[in-house]
Amino acid sequence: MKQLQRKHMRVMGALMSASVVLGLAPAMVLADTPSKLVSSPVGLQSYAVTSSLVDLIWQPEYNAGVTYAVYENGSQIGRVADSNFTVSDLQPNHTYSFQVATITGSGDVSKPSAAIVVKTLAQGKMVNVKQFGAIGDGKSDDTRALQRAIDAVPKGGTLYVPAGTYYTAPLQLKSDMTLYLAKGATLLGSSNIDAYKPIWSRWEGTEMYRYMSLITGDNVRNVTITGEGVIDGNGETPIHDNAGNTYGNWWSKQYKEPLSDPAVSLVQSPNYSQGLPYARPSLIEFLHSQNILIQGVTVQNSPSWTIHPVYCDHVTLADVHIVNPPTSDNTDGVDPDSVNGMQIIDDTFSVGDDDIAIKSGKDAEGRRIGIPSQNIVVRNCHMLNGHGVSIGSEMSGGVQNVLVENCDFDGTNAGLRIKTLRGRGGIVQNITFDHVSMSNIQAQAFIIDENYASNGSALPPGPVTDATPAIRNLNFDNITVNGAKQAMYFSGLAELPIQNIAFHNVAINGAGSGIQAENVEGVKMDNVSINGVPMFDGVNTIQDLTFQGILPSAATFLTGTQPIALPGNLVTNVGGTISASFASSADTGVNMPIVTGEGTNGNGVGVFFNADHRVEFQMHAGSQSVDLVSPQAYHDGLWHQVTATWDNAGDANLYIDGSLVASTTVAPATTVDGDPTVASPQVNPVAIASSMTVGGTTDASFMGQIKDVTIMNYPESPLSISGYHITNVSGGGVVSPEGLQVDAQQYNNRPYTFTWVPPYLIGDPFLQTTAGSRSGLSFDLHQDATVYVAYDATAKKPTWLKPFVDTGETLSNDVGETYEIYAKDFAAGEVSLGPVVDPKHTAMYTVFVGQGLPTTYQFR
């Protein structure tokens, strides 16, 4: 097992701090002359507070060599590489001010961030377990003494467990208390099966009796487990009963399925010859509870799922080490189960099953209870052994609004895994992976399997009902993978495919194979590369695939310039779109390829700048042959946008700068239905480009520049081509593929969706911006239009917004934010918008574009 190490420094007092470890002066004041070229950190907040410590986190700078200086009350107390820091050894009920500053690899220091003020909690009465007879020698049964001590803690008080090993049966926590495990303290779980009382809980998505967990809280509020000690489930030790019989350890699977009949007597003698009668316990379980914090401790050797909050609100895991052997069965790290509002921050996982597994009940019972797991944030976490972040397969109550950000996976089985099957029902939606690094992934970096049969029976296809699971709106941004058995595996349902998956800035290196995808709709790939293997592996059924970001900025091609290779099999003759901006710079007298692809048996597709300086679109697929030529020459050195589309009816179109310049219809290649009683023709798909390039082939090169290349496996609509044609977007914005509408995703890095937009603007193009960005935004309009800016209603308005007219309209999103809509007419050309100016509001504004309206702005 890989060695687990703390990723931050603990502060042992304001002057004797982590800064001493790093060789810094122990009480440095804030820099008087910070560099104006280095941005200050944003988003500083505390995510865990006790009577003696504060956990800080902020938005990181994703630049090599960057570190951060941390300040307490104006004095520097530490310097770290990660964007989080634990300040400990603080005074109870005291107020502290914190700031952070960015330090570049060259030593430049930013101005410190905006300060946050945090007050530590009151400590309350301290109760020492030794006062109640706890021995702590690892052999004596301390259960009675520990439970008496817990019961004696007054409201707001702390149970103090000093160094020692306390052998104990399950313990029941209560509301408004802190369990503090000192360094060197271990709670060691009893191996006596008779000491574990069965309680009513949920196991693998079904409510039933299971053995009580070592640490349990039921209907409790305001509970903290903290310290530097250990909670050990003793999972490897053979189980015995009061009669001295042994049954193997908790992981040996020497147990039968748990009894689920509520009428079973809890005091009946189980028949141990048939195995354990109830489900194995978790190590820590909270039921129907609120405001739970687990901070700093190490939890290990769990009998099954390690930390299991079920039907809980506002749970935080902060700086927790979860360690189970790789071979231990079902020892998930943490399983949020119908939980609302959970933070999993700066934790390290090395377990025998899922590192994190998000669940919400199973099948009809899970749908009936109907409590989703939602609003879950995983940040700055480190995954070693285990199956990565999983959702399901018990997800019948739904899972939504999950963000996994700034995490690393090293040697895990997978990165993200979503698993479900017919009969489960439920909706998984609005899942975002952002700034994630993976290495040595044992299976797939991304796996979505709707035919998962490990926890249920596979059912045949059928109609869409409430028992049909739905997976939609997934975002994967800024991800690097170095080593994986397979890049991606998506297996959707024919009757309800996986919908709307967006990949942005994803680089996968060292994968054994590429993408295998069946029954997937709405895939957007922007600046995605899978190096060393074909991007698409085997048979793929992907509808509405958009592949773009091939050239984030203009690339120059000249004679001898190496063309840019693209994945093959992106398009077939059934339908597709090729779009690119080009500017020619020389007259070669021969065809110059812009985007071209070659297949087998003479099949191929391409857009060229021909010897007559005209744009030409060619496609050959079996008996189909298309050759469209623009009537106008474009050898003027200026930028032009070419878009070619074709569909399954045989219609082909060529657009230049948003205007249709040539079209034709050819008979599609067809087959006849296999049913001899039905003779309706069907399109025969032909893969027309097993390899594609931008800017040239082995025989010819484009002479000039190319940018904004997009390839789709469906024909882009005439409205989206000729309407406004937004291109050359900078500042982190991207054009939404679905247009402005309710349920459209607002940002390209957050799963927020619109819940209200003005009806007359539905369908207009809009730019998904980057939440948290404070930069400006610019883009090119290819025709006159009205630009709308939706700005946070609670934020200070910038001066650049003053020329805009307040429409009196608003839009809103699913996290309760309201944006006021402003409008201004712009002529075709570049549009530049300024930055966010209010430091208290870091949500980026939203931009959309509509037809020019009268200057009176008579909005409905």
Side-chain angles (χ1 to χ4, degrees):
M1 183 180 299
K2 297 181 181 179
Q3 182 67 34
L4 304 180
Q5 297 179 343
R6 296 286 180 186
K7 292 291 186 176
H8 66 275
M9 298 294 179
R10 289 187 176 277
V11 179
M12 302 306 294
L15 298 182
M16 294 299 294
S17 68
S19 57
V20 177
V21 178
L22 294 170
L24 303 173
M28 295 176 64
V29 296
L30 298 178
D32 294 326
T33 56
S35 171
K36 295 181 180 180
L37 302 178
V38 184
S39 299
S40 302
V42 297
L44 176 63
Q45 60 181 303
S46 61
Y47 62 93
V49 180
T50 73
S51 61
S52 61
L53 64 82
V54 173
D55 275 320
L56 302 172
I57 194 167
W58 55 92
Q59 286 292 336
E61 293 283 339
Y62 295 103
N63 296 314
V66 166
T67 57
Y68 305 94
V70 183
Y71 302 94
E72 175 192 317
N73 297 335
S75 296
Q76 184 171 329
I77 59 171
R79 179 169 165 179
V80 289
D82 282 352
S83 59
N84 56 271
F85 193 87
T86 298
V87 187
S88 59
D89 201 29
L90 301 175
Q91 296 298 311
N93 202 30
H94 274 57
T95 298
Y96 297 87
S97 174
F98 300 104
Q99 295 170 281
V100 290
T102 301
I103 305 173
T104 67
S106 59
D108 292 327
V109 183
S110 75
K111 180 181 177 182
S113 68
I116 63 167
V117 177
V118 183
K119 187 175 183 179
T120 55
L121 303 181
Q123 181 174 280
K125 181 179 179 180
M126 183 80 73
V127 175
N128 192 319
V129 298
K130 294 285 189 177
Q131 298 170 332
F132 289 82
I135 298 174
D137 62 1
K139 299 177 182 179
S140 303
D141 189 343
D142 285 324
T143 307
R144 181 180 176 86
L146 292 170
Q147 190 62 58
R148 287 176 58 212
I150 291 170
D151 296 340
V153 175
K155 183 177 181 178
T158 297
L159 178 66
Y160 179 76
V161 182
T165 299
Y166 301 83
Y167 185 80
T168 180
L171 302 172
Q172 181 89 37
L173 301 184
K174 61 182 184 179
S175 294
D176 302 302
M177 69 165 290
T178 294
L179 171 60
Y180 183 88
L181 299 173
K183 186 175 182 179
T186 297
L187 296 180
L188 181 64
S190 171
S191 58
N192 183 353
I193 186 73
D194 288 333
Y196 289 78
K197 173 186 175 182
I199 64 170
W200 189 252
S201 180
R202 184 189 253 182
W203 170 246
E204 293 194 342
T206 301
E207 290 190 343
M208 60 177 64
Y209 287 111
R210 66 179 300 193
Y211 289 111
M212 183 177 177
S213 299
L214 187 64
I215 304 295
T216 298
D218 190 357
N219 277 292
V220 297
R221 301 168 59 93
N222 309 322
V223 175
T224 295
I225 300 173
T226 187
E228 297 182 67
V230 176
I231 301 174
D232 191 323
N234 206 10
E236 77 280 8
T237 301
I239 299 167
H240 67 274
D241 61 19
N242 288 334
N245 301 310
T246 59
Y247 306 96
N249 63 30
W250 286 115
W251 306 323
S252 66
K253 298 186 179 181
Q254 293 185 18
Y255 60 92
K256 69 177 185 179
E257 287 299 309
L259 300 174
S260 57
D261 184 355
V264 172
S265 170
L266 296 183
V267 297
Q268 73 176 20
S269 298
N271 183 355
Y272 288 109
S273 66
Q274 298 178 12
L276 305 182
Y278 304 108
R280 290 170 294 161
S282 293
L283 189 50
I284 301 173
E285 182 175 67
F286 284 93
L287 304 157
H288 306 282
S289 299
Q290 294 180 310
N291 301 330
I292 306 301
L293 170 62
I294 304 174
Q295 198 282 337
V297 295
T298 295
V299 287
Q300 62 189 33
N301 298 322
S302 177
S304 64
W305 296 353
T306 308
I307 300 175
H308 183 212
V310 55
Y311 308 135
C312 290
D313 293 331
H314 303 110
V315 179
T316 297
L317 258 64
D319 184 28
V320 175
H321 275 189
I322 301 178
V323 189
N324 299 311
T327 56
S328 56
D329 180 57
N330 276 131
T331 57
D332 296 1
V334 57
D335 293 74
D337 198 346
S338 293
V339 169
N340 179 28
M342 185 164 187
Q343 298 183 102
I344 304 172
I345 300 178
D346 190 33
D347 302 305
T348 303
F349 298 86
S350 186
V351 298
D353 206 322
D354 298 322
D355 296 286
I356 299 171
I358 302 172
K359 303 175 182 293
S360 62
K362 182 176 177 180
D363 298 340
E365 180 187 278
R367 298 194 298 273
R368 174 182 58 78
I369 295 172
I371 302 177
S373 278
Q374 60 185 349
N375 306 319
I376 296 172
V377 174
V378 182
R379 290 181 65 183
N380 293 28
C381 287
H382 316 283
M383 319 287 178
L384 299 175
N385 295 311
H387 294 167
V389 176
S390 294
I391 297 175
S393 68
E394 308 91 340
M395 39 62 72
S396 302
V399 176
Q400 60 188 8
N401 302 337
V402 176
L403 171 65
V404 179
E405 183 178 39
N406 196 33
C407 295
D408 59 77
F409 298 70
D410 186 359
T412 55
N413 179 265
L416 173 71
R417 182 170 66 157
I418 302 176
K419 44 189 177 177
T420 185
L421 67 159
R422 293 183 178 95
R424 198 124 296 180
I427 301 173
V428 174
Q429 62 183 349
N430 303 340
I431 314 297
T432 296
F433 259 43
D434 189 10
H435 283 100
V436 169
S437 65
M438 304 184 199
S439 58
N440 307 312
I441 303 302
Q442 302 303 303
Q444 296 88 1
F446 308 104
I447 175 171
I448 304 174
D449 189 358
E450 291 195 279
N451 294 283
Y452 183 78
S454 178
N455 190 12
S457 299
L459 299 175
V464 175
T465 68
D466 66 344
T468 307
I471 299 175
R472 62 195 185 202
N473 302 343
L474 313 176
N475 295 276
F476 302 93
D477 304 320
N478 309 302
I479 295 174
T480 301
V481 179
N482 289 305
K485 182 178 180 180
Q486 185 177 28
M488 306 175 194
Y489 174 82
F490 302 143
S491 178
L493 302 178
E495 64 271 29
L496 187 59
I498 303 164
Q499 297 175 320
N500 301 335
I501 308 177
F503 297 91
H504 176 67
N505 292 341
V506 176
I508 299 179
N509 306 295
S513 59
I515 301 170
Q516 184 177 348
E518 296 180 346
N519 300 317
V520 182
E521 291 182 354
V523 178
K524 181 177 181 180
M525 294 188 174
D526 178 7
N527 193 26
V528 174
S529 62
I530 299 177
N531 302 311
V533 295
M535 175 168 277
F536 294 96
D537 177 39
V539 177
N540 290 270
T541 54
I542 304 176
Q543 300 180 45
D544 298 341
L545 167 67
T546 304
F547 190 88
Q548 60 182 27
I550 301 158
L551 298 173
S553 58
T556 301
F557 297 88
L558 301 168
T559 301
T561 302
Q562 193 75 12
I564 296 175
L566 303 181
N569 299 326
L570 288 172
V571 293
T572 70
N573 64 316
V574 171
T577 300
I578 295 176
S579 181
S581 291
F582 69 93
S584 64
S585 62
D587 184 356
T588 64
V590 298
N591 286 353
M592 297 190 295
I594 299 174
V595 179
T596 185
E598 296 182 359
T600 58
N601 301 321
N603 296 321
V605 65
V607 176
F608 306 87
F609 191 63
N610 69 19
D612 297 327
H613 309 146
R614 303 175 191 272
V615 178
E616 188 168 357
F617 166 53
Q618 296 181 359
M619 185 182 73
H620 303 285
S623 61
Q624 295 174 284
S625 183
V626 172
D627 192 350
L628 298 177
V629 182
S630 68
Q632 180 181 339
Y634 293 94
H635 188 55
D636 51 17
L638 302 178
W639 283 104
H640 297 283
Q641 184 82 17
V642 54
T643 304
T645 69
W646 63 98
D647 61 25
N648 60 4
D651 294 331
N653 301 284
L654 178 64
Y655 300 82
I656 303 295
D657 296 332
S659 298
L660 180 65
V661 297
S663 63
T664 189
T665 300
V666 298
T670 60
T671 59
V672 178
D673 273 325
D675 185 345
T677 64
V678 180
S680 58
Q682 295 183 340
V683 172
N684 179 28
V686 176
I688 53 179
S690 55
S691 63
M692 302 187 76
T693 58
V694 175
T697 65
T698 55
D699 301 321
S701 177
F702 186 82
M703 302 297 287
Q705 292 182 295
I706 301 173
K707 64 180 180 180
D708 297 335
V709 178
T710 300
I711 299 172
M712 308 175 185
N713 72 347
Y714 63 94
E716 190 176 9
S717 70
L719 176 62
S720 61
I721 296 171
S722 61
Y724 315 103
H725 223 78
I726 304 170
T727 59
N728 202 25
V729 184
S730 63
V734 296
V735 181
S736 168
E738 52 190 334
L740 187 68
Q741 56 186 298
V742 173
D743 290 334
Q745 183 172 319
Q746 182 175 9
Y747 295 111
N748 57 38
N749 67 332
R750 293 289 186 273
Y752 308 158
T753 56
F754 296 121
T755 56
W756 164 256
V757 298
Y760 61 90
L761 295 173
I762 289 177
D764 283 346
F766 88 96
L767 296 177
Q768 292 177 329
T769 52
T770 302
S773 172
R774 306 188 66 81
S775 63
L777 189 71
S778 66
F779 53 91
D780 289 342
L781 286 174
H782 282 222
Q783 72 175 62
D784 297 351
T786 300
V787 173
Y788 299 84
V789 175
Y791 209 89
D792 191 330
T794 62
K796 178 182 178 181
K797 303 302 183 289
T799 56
W800 61 262
L801 196 59
K802 288 184 176 180
F804 286 69
V805 174
D806 185 349
T807 68
E809 297 279 0
T810 61
L811 60 80
S812 56
N813 64 21
D814 61 350
V815 292
E817 297 171 338
T818 299
Y819 293 76
E820 297 170 339
I821 299 177
Y822 300 83
K824 185 175 183 285
D825 288 335
F826 283 85
E830 184 180 21
V831 175
S832 294
L833 305 176
V836 174
V837 297
D838 192 336
K840 297 181 180 180
H841 295 78
T842 58
M844 187 64 172
Y845 51 82
T846 295
V847 176
F848 41 102
V849 178
Q851 294 179 348
L853 296 173
T855 55
T856 53
Y857 291 96
Q858 297 297 324
F859 292 99
R860 291 192 289 273

